[in-house]
Amino acid sequence: MSVIALKLLQFIIGFIGIGLVVLAHEAGHFIAARLLGVRVETFGVGMGPRLFSIHGRETEYRFSLIPFGGYCRMDGSIDLIKALRDDVKSFDKGEYGSYFTTTPLVRLLIFIAGPLMNFLLSVLLFLVISLVPTLQAVDPARIVVVSDYPALFSSDITQSSIRTGDTILSIDGQEVRWWQEAEELIASANVPELEMRVLRDGRQLDVTAEGVLMDGTYRYGIALWQDPVIGRVDGTTLFHPGDRIVAVNGSPVSNTYDVYMESGHDMDITLLRNGAVVSVFLPSTTSFPFAWQSTLVPLESQGFFRSIAYGFSKAAQSVADTFTALGSFINQDSEQVRNQITGPTRAAQTIGNITTLGFKSDAASGIRAFLYLLSMVSISLCVANLLPIPTFDGGQMVINIWQIITGKELSPRSYVVFQIAGIVCTVIILVGLYSLDFIHYFG
């Protein structure tokens, strides 16, 4: 497949994925409206010119050319026109089933339903992810003490009884098979001293990892040791899967950090390939055209009921993390914000790119990558729509909560002004997001 065709495929995958998330959001409004007695004039699937429609008893189901997102148009336009024409102060005399003749509580529930549907979609996607059988990349629990590589780690934590090259066998009595298991135990320990059993030069030793308190959490200055063996190779013939790097610029290499020490410079690399010594030259780079080799083992299924709990906890944590990230933007400069916020085009490319990379490994990895990214997009849409911006669900919620508390209805003219302000805000936000994409690609 050509580079252009691959890029086009990635964009298509990404836009379809985002469209499905948007469609689920609008489906939430649709379902809530129908359950609460509000007629839906049109439920659109896709955007752009209409391809065909299916007319239900009360709703037109419209299918459009561009398979991206959807929309839900509720009954009430006639009531609004009449109210504006007659210059009335309320919608009291509207027709049954109109959005405007409902109570503020009903309208509030309809607007909550969109973000709620995105949250539930994320729960479902995380549940499916946990059930999809796949392989997990793991590494032996061999470790590096970060103080041995001060140029790479912004940490000066030292260890007196642990050495670079040790292999962790257990932590606080819990057996460790892989580094990924050790990493979880270390991250959750948060104690000043962590007891470990390690393998060193063929002998088992009991050692203590000494923690240093940083930002309320104990850190131990331990990282993964990876053998410098090449796994996947991307777009180059210099390296082959299975190559072992034995020296860079004349310096011997024992683990991958010895290679990273030379990144950013021209690199004369000595490889061991099928028992033969091979020399290659790699121009200065900080991004290598290969990935390090890992061991692939089947990922254990959590079971259906545990997967449900996992889905809810993962979605809830993602919501909290998204709100935290939004709050952190207040203290960041414009350059940091541009690097962290993406527009629809760049988001679609990222989804497609990561998904196609996953499928290069195996189908299950590709599916899991796609579902995971969609779940994060769904959470982002959920959180964004909770913001109190006019025409966003959050803005509509604020209005209806105010009406519930005060007992006052929003007048038709005020409603129109509110909607116009919301349209202006939405246009500004969309222009800003697409500008970020334009700067990324062409700036």
Side-chain angles (χ1 to χ4, degrees), residues 1 58 81 88 105 114 128 166 170 206 258 289 301 329 331 421 426:
M1 182 181 293
E58 294 182 342
I81 293 171
V88 297
L105 177 59
V128 174
D166 287 349
S170 66
D206 291 322
D258 294 325
S301 175
F329 290 149
N331 299 319
T426 302

Side-chain angles (χ1 to χ4, degrees), residues 22-135:
V22 175
L23 184 61
H25 179 93
E26 297 301 329
H29 293 312
F30 173 79
I31 294 170
R34 293 296 299 269
L35 290 176
L36 295 170
V38 176
R39 290 197 299 266
V40 177
E41 293 179 351
T42 307
F43 182 76
V45 178
M47 305 295 287
R50 179 177 60 182
L51 292 177
F52 64 94
S53 296
I54 299 174
H55 292 273
R57 188 163 57 90
E58 294 182 342
T59 303
E60 175 193 1
Y61 300 92
R62 181 178 297 178
F63 296 83
S64 300
L65 177 63
I66 303 172
F68 179 80
Y71 56 93
C72 178
R73 183 180 301 136
M74 286 173 278
D75 194 7
S77 57
I78 295 177
D79 286 340
L80 180 59
I81 293 171
K82 286 181 178 179
L84 292 172
R85 183 192 60 196
D86 299 338
D87 196 22
V88 297
K89 302 298 183 182
S90 70
F91 295 98
D92 290 341
K93 296 182 179 180
E95 59 183 9
Y96 175 77
S98 167
Y99 166 81
F100 293 108
T101 58
T102 59
T103 65
L105 177 59
V106 168
R107 296 195 288 267
L108 175 63
L109 294 175
I110 291 173
F111 283 112
I112 288 175
L116 177 61
M117 181 63 79
N118 282 128
F119 178 81
L120 294 177
L121 174 61
S122 181
V123 171
L124 176 64
L125 292 173
F126 281 125
L127 185 155
V128 174
I129 287 169
S130 68
L131 294 175
V132 173
T134 188
L135 298 175

Side-chain angles (χ1 to χ4, degrees), residues 128-415:
V128 174
I129 287 169
S130 68
L131 294 175
V132 173
T134 188
L135 298 175
Q136 178 186 27
V138 295
D139 301 277
R142 200 174 184 190
I143 60 174
V144 168
V145 179
V146 300
S147 58
D148 290 341
Y149 293 89
L152 294 178
F153 295 95
S154 56
S155 172
D156 57 358
I157 300 176
T158 60
Q159 293 293 341
S160 59
S161 61
I162 297 176
R163 297 180 187 174
T164 291
D166 287 349
T167 298
I168 299 176
L169 301 177
S170 66
I171 297 177
D172 274 345
Q174 297 187 57
E175 182 182 356
V176 168
R177 295 171 299 172
W178 309 105
W179 161 254
Q180 285 70 20
E181 295 173 340
E183 187 176 32
E184 289 185 7
L185 292 173
I186 292 171
S188 62
N190 200 26
V191 292
E193 293 186 342
L194 191 59
E195 302 301 323
M196 297 182 177
R197 175 163 291 183
V198 301
L199 183 66
R200 180 187 302 162
D201 300 327
R203 295 184 302 142
Q204 294 188 16
L205 302 173
D206 291 322
V207 298
T208 300
E210 300 159 357
V212 175
L213 193 61
M214 301 174 64
D215 299 325
T217 303
Y218 282 99
R219 310 290 175 84
Y220 304 95
I222 297 172
L224 167 66
W225 166 301
Q226 279 185 299
D227 286 330
V229 178
I230 294 171
R232 189 185 71 249
V233 176
D234 298 322
T236 180
T237 58
L238 289 176
F239 304 96
H240 296 173
D243 287 351
R244 173 181 285 273
I245 299 177
V246 295
V248 176
N249 294 336
S251 299
V253 169
S254 61
N255 64 73
T256 57
Y257 294 116
D258 294 325
V259 180
Y260 292 135
M261 289 288 289
E262 299 295 331
S263 64
H265 304 88
D266 291 344
M267 303 172 72
D268 288 308
I269 301 176
T270 304
L271 304 170
L272 186 62
R273 178 181 298 165
N274 297 326
V277 176
V278 178
S279 296
V280 298
F281 174 77
L282 184 66
S284 175
T285 182
T286 56
S287 178
F288 299 133
F290 55 78
W292 302 114
Q293 186 180 78
S294 293
T295 302
L296 296 177
V297 297
L299 187 64
E300 296 179 3
S301 175
Q302 302 184 68
F304 182 74
F305 291 105
R306 288 185 62 187
S307 295
I308 293 175
Y310 169 79
F312 273 100
S313 64
K314 187 70 175 177
Q317 184 60 51
S318 299
V319 169
D321 291 343
T322 303
F323 273 115
T324 301
L326 284 174
S328 69
F329 290 149
I330 298 174
N331 299 319
Q332 294 181 2
D333 57 34
S334 58
E335 181 69 23
Q336 289 175 305
V337 173
R338 283 199 302 270
N339 289 334
Q340 295 185 46
I341 297 181
T342 64
T345 306
R346 191 175 167 195
Q349 183 193 21
T350 301
I351 292 172
N353 185 30
I354 296 176
T355 300
T356 53
L357 284 175
F359 274 105
K360 284 185 178 180
S361 298
D362 58 83
S365 296
I367 292 171
R368 285 172 61 88
F370 182 66
L371 296 181
Y372 177 82
L373 292 169
L374 287 196
S375 67
M376 298 310 297
V377 171
S378 193
I379 289 296
S380 297
L381 188 60
C382 168
V383 171
N385 271 278
L386 291 175
L387 299 178
I389 299 173
T391 71
F392 279 33
D393 295 336
Q396 301 286 349
M397 290 178 204
V398 170
I399 290 297
N400 285 288
I401 290 172
W402 174 82
Q403 292 177 347
I404 293 172
I405 294 173
T406 64
K408 298 178 181 179
E409 286 284 341
L410 196 67
S411 70
R413 288 190 179 276
S414 298
Y415 177 81

